[in-house]
Amino acid sequence: MLFDTPARPRRKPSLTPMIDVVFLLLVFFMLASRFGIDAALPLPLAAGGGEYTGPPRLIDVAPSEVYVNGRPVAEAELAVALTPLVEDKADVLILRGKDGASLQRIVTLTEVLRGEGFTSVVLVE
């Protein structure tokens, strides 16, 4: 046997370079990602005072319904229901959570009102 050489044990590949690359990618994506966008929603509390004139404009926000002065109103028609109650879109609207409405629901409804041009929304308990 001419080519009879002793068998060498196979060398296992090192995992260290692959682990380094994985950690570098992890650090890169952690530093490059944005976990959330902070947004401020100016929402004064009623205790701040201020002048209130005109008819009542109480908006009760329930988990699935919206009430204007005690009457149910579709969310899409909220601006139409409020128009006869305000002289100007800067008049104060009083917003109240009802029946365990989530904070996100109240914020969403406030954004809808601001999108319709109502600028003064006050939150009460």
Side-chain angles (χ1 to χ4, degrees):
M1 299 209 169
L2 207 52
F3 297 105
D4 198 17
T5 59
R8 282 195 272 170
R10 296 191 92 192
R11 196 173 131 189
K12 293 181 182 178
S14 174
L15 293 179
T16 304
M18 187 175 69
I19 292 171
D20 289 344
V21 169
V22 168
F23 278 121
L24 284 173
L25 287 173
L26 179 67
V27 168
F28 170 77
F29 285 116
M30 285 178 61
L31 293 176
S33 65
R34 296 185 78 182
F35 293 108
I37 298 172
D38 295 334
L41 180 65
L43 198 61
L45 295 175
E51 266 192 56
Y52 184 93
T53 59
R57 297 177 290 271
L58 178 63
I59 304 167
D60 287 319
V61 182
S64 60
E65 294 179 321
V66 177
Y67 300 91
V68 175
N69 292 335
R71 287 188 231 132
V73 174
E75 189 173 319
E77 306 209 359
L78 186 59
V80 175
L82 289 171
T83 301
L85 300 175
V86 296
E87 295 173 9
D88 184 21
K89 292 214 176 191
D91 287 348
V92 176
L93 301 176
I94 300 174
L95 199 64
R96 176 175 65 179
K98 182 178 178 183
D99 298 333
S102 68
L103 180 60
Q104 182 60 50
R105 173 99 168 112
I106 293 171
V107 168
T108 302
L109 192 65
T110 302
E111 290 174 347
V112 167
L113 289 170
R114 290 195 190 276
E116 291 292 333
F118 296 100
T119 57
S120 184
V121 179
V122 173
L123 182 63
V124 296
E125 286 187 37

